[in-house]
Amino acid sequence: MGLKNEAQSGYNTKRFYQEYVSGMSRERFSKELSADTERLKLVYKEAVEDIERQQGQQLPGHVKFLRLFSDLTQRLNPTRRLIFGIGSVSFVAYYLLNFFGILEYFLIGDLLLPFGFLSMFMLLLIELLEKSDVQKEIDLAREIQLSLLPGTSLNKENLEVYSFAHTAKEVGGDYLDVIETDKGTYVVIADVSGKGLSAALYMVRLQALVSMIIEKEEPNPKELFLQLNNYIKSNSKDKTFVTGCVAFFPNDEEHFEYIRAGHNIPIYYNKDRDTTFKLKSNGFALGMTSTKLLDKNMEVKKFHFKPGDSVLFYTDGLNEARNNRGEEYGEERIESLMEIYGSLHAKTIIGKLQSSLEAFIGSVDPLDDVTFTCIHRPSK
């Protein structure tokens, strides 16, 4: 029987232990300990090493400790900083008074240790609750972002599109969209500078703008990127830049228009020649220069796209993915896979690429968002 007897699932010591150690493993412990160590190193660098570099001299040990302690406590809000300070003073006072043998002469001496412990315990609980709330918000943001991504696949009579997306953090800055219009299909891939929540929010704004422009004007790829550059450059305080590619596949025509803005060069498989080509074209990343200069330097290209042909777009998270020896996945592997499998269906190509990537990186988590999409024209 697969039914669980809920009447016997009372809460006991064994169940508490199972819940407490849930998710703990040697591999996960090693990764999380390494990540926490890196965070502490970063804090130490900002609080101590950067100051020593600016002053050109080593700081005394006690000054290093005070600067590090101050930097850490400044991350707490004033109320929690006060609780932390009182708790720390209580611990220090208790052990100093006890060391000098005068603890018994103070009326509240015996209360210092439990008071310090309770202060720290309450502070820890509050921080854990806040972190839990923040994590719930991030999880919600992730769900919203994933819901905005296009469907994994698109199958039309003369066009197949299949995609893969993986975020390095809870939310990411890679942007992928497949938009159908009466005239044809747009495929947009982009990578917003940075990672995490800020890049994800910018990506959502970008996606909304792309959808609005295409729905309203159905522009060619160059016109779309010029309008996006106007938007990005309109805020002088905004230092974000975006690399990307846009391809437009007209209905019932055996070609596509393509433009690149500082992004990874797509790989095109030609069935007639049974070989691959890199779709090189000039163009600065969006937000890097004025729209006027971008217009002069951005190059629109048109390529044949006959039955059996395929084209792969991807972000740098794919070719820069590393294994446990620090080796990069590399563009050569991607191109080799396209040479072997480029004549197959888009879903098969993406599946082969995903399997190859997973086998290469093993248990190593990608440091950057990984996104790639394949467009294939099926043979009649």
Side-chain angles (χ1 to χ4, degrees):
M1 292 290 289
L3 296 177
K4 181 181 178 181
N5 187 354
E6 296 291 345
Q8 297 178 9
S9 61
Y11 203 84
N12 51 35
T13 305
K14 182 178 179 181
R15 184 176 174 187
F16 170 78
Y17 173 78
Q18 290 173 341
E19 290 180 355
Y20 189 83
V21 301
S22 175
M24 293 184 185
S25 65
R26 181 179 301 176
E27 182 179 294
R28 183 169 181 178
F29 179 79
S30 176
K31 287 182 180 179
E32 293 180 352
L33 182 61
S34 176
D36 290 340
T37 302
E38 289 302 317
R39 289 192 190 98
L40 288 173
K41 286 180 179 178
L42 182 60
V43 172
Y44 181 81
K45 178 180 179 296
E46 293 174 350
V48 178
E49 292 181 355
D50 289 348
I51 301 299
E52 290 181 332
R53 192 178 298 111
Q54 293 172 10
Q55 296 181 358
Q57 61 180 6
Q58 290 284 325
L59 297 175
H62 70 282
V63 175
K64 290 182 179 181
F65 173 78
L66 290 175
R67 287 200 61 84
L68 182 60
F69 184 81
S70 175
D71 190 84
L72 287 171
T73 53
Q74 286 298 319
R75 296 166 188 259
L76 299 172
N77 65 37
T79 302
R80 296 174 194 174
R81 203 181 312 145
L82 177 62
I83 295 173
F84 181 77
I86 293 173
S88 300
V89 169
S90 297
F91 276 122
V92 173
Y94 175 84
Y95 285 108
L96 284 177
L97 293 174
N98 192 52
F99 178 79
F100 289 108
I102 57 175
L103 183 65
E104 59 188 22
Y105 297 105
F106 289 82
L107 294 176
I108 61 170
D110 291 334
L111 298 177
L112 289 174
L113 185 61
F115 179 78
F117 175 79
L118 287 174
S119 298
M120 294 299 185
F121 185 71
M122 289 300 297
L123 184 62
L124 176 62
L125 286 180
I126 293 170
E127 288 291 318
L128 287 173
L129 288 171
E130 185 175 84
K131 184 176 181 180
S132 176
D133 291 340
V134 170
Q135 186 61 48
K136 288 179 181 179
E137 295 295 327
I138 292 176
D139 290 342
L140 178 59
R142 176 179 173 82
E143 290 179 13
I144 294 172
Q145 184 183 24
L146 292 177
S147 71
L148 294 173
L149 289 173
T152 306
S153 62
L154 168 68
N155 287 294
K156 300 172 67 174
E157 183 179 351
N158 63 346
L159 202 68
E160 296 176 357
V161 184
Y162 202 85
S163 308
F164 173 88
H166 173 84
T167 56
K169 296 186 176 181
E170 286 83 354
V171 288
D174 279 4
Y175 166 45
L176 174 66
D177 220 341
V178 180
I179 302 175
E180 292 186 82
T181 68
D182 293 337
K183 296 180 180 179
T185 302
Y186 292 83
V187 177
V188 187
I189 190 168
D191 187 357
V192 179
S193 61
K195 299 182 183 70
L197 192 57
S198 60
L201 291 173
Y202 205 96
M203 185 275 277
V204 172
R205 292 163 62 192
L206 197 69
Q207 184 184 36
L209 189 61
V210 168
S211 299
M212 183 184 70
I213 294 173
I214 289 178
E215 182 179 352
K216 184 178 179 181
E217 303 178 19
E218 295 192 27
N220 62 45
K222 184 173 183 178
E223 291 169 346
L224 175 61
F225 266 1
L226 292 178
Q227 290 199 48
L228 291 179
N229 194 71
N230 272 333
Y231 165 74
I232 296 172
K233 295 295 290 182
S234 63
N235 187 350
S236 59
K237 296 181 180 179
D238 193 348
K239 303 302 180 183
T240 302
F241 65 89
V242 180
T243 67
C245 295
V246 177
F248 177 66
F249 299 83
N251 291 331
D252 304 321
E253 294 189 35
E254 294 187 343
H255 74 268
F256 67 91
E257 293 181 356
Y258 153 76
I259 201 162
R260 183 173 73 96
H263 198 74
N264 296 81
I265 301 173
I267 298 173
Y268 167 68
Y269 171 81
N270 183 277
K271 186 179 180 181
D272 289 343
R273 300 186 185 182
D274 191 26
T275 189
T276 60
F277 302 92
K278 289 186 176 181
L279 303 186
K280 296 181 179 179
S281 66
N282 297 325
F284 297 114
L286 305 181
M288 294 289 288
T289 186
S290 66
T291 301
K292 184 177 181 180
L293 188 59
L294 185 67
D295 188 16
K296 290 181 179 179
N297 289 276
M298 186 167 279
E299 187 178 11
V300 181
K301 290 196 172 182
K302 184 181 288 188
F303 295 93
H304 290 295
F305 200 57
K306 297 181 179 180
D309 292 353
S310 301
V311 60
L312 178 76
F313 296 90
Y314 61 96
T315 61
D316 58 8
L318 174 60
N319 60 290
E320 294 178 2
R322 294 179 180 271
N323 60 19
N324 55 11
R325 295 185 297 276
E327 300 168 335
E328 280 194 354
Y329 187 70
E331 296 177 359
E332 294 77 11
R333 275 190 181 83
I334 303 171
E335 195 166 358
S336 296
L337 284 167
M338 285 297 290
E339 287 180 353
I340 298 171
Y341 303 111
S343 62
L344 303 179
H345 292 287
K347 183 177 181 179
T348 304
I349 296 171
I350 293 299
K352 295 293 184 181
L353 192 54
Q354 180 182 349
S355 299
S356 172
L357 177 64
E358 290 173 349
F360 177 79
I361 64 175
S363 60
V364 178
D365 292 327
L367 297 177
D368 198 1
D369 304 328
V370 180
T371 305
F372 47 93
T373 186
C374 182
I375 304 93
H376 175 75
R377 175 146 285 169
S379 301
K380 297 179 180 179

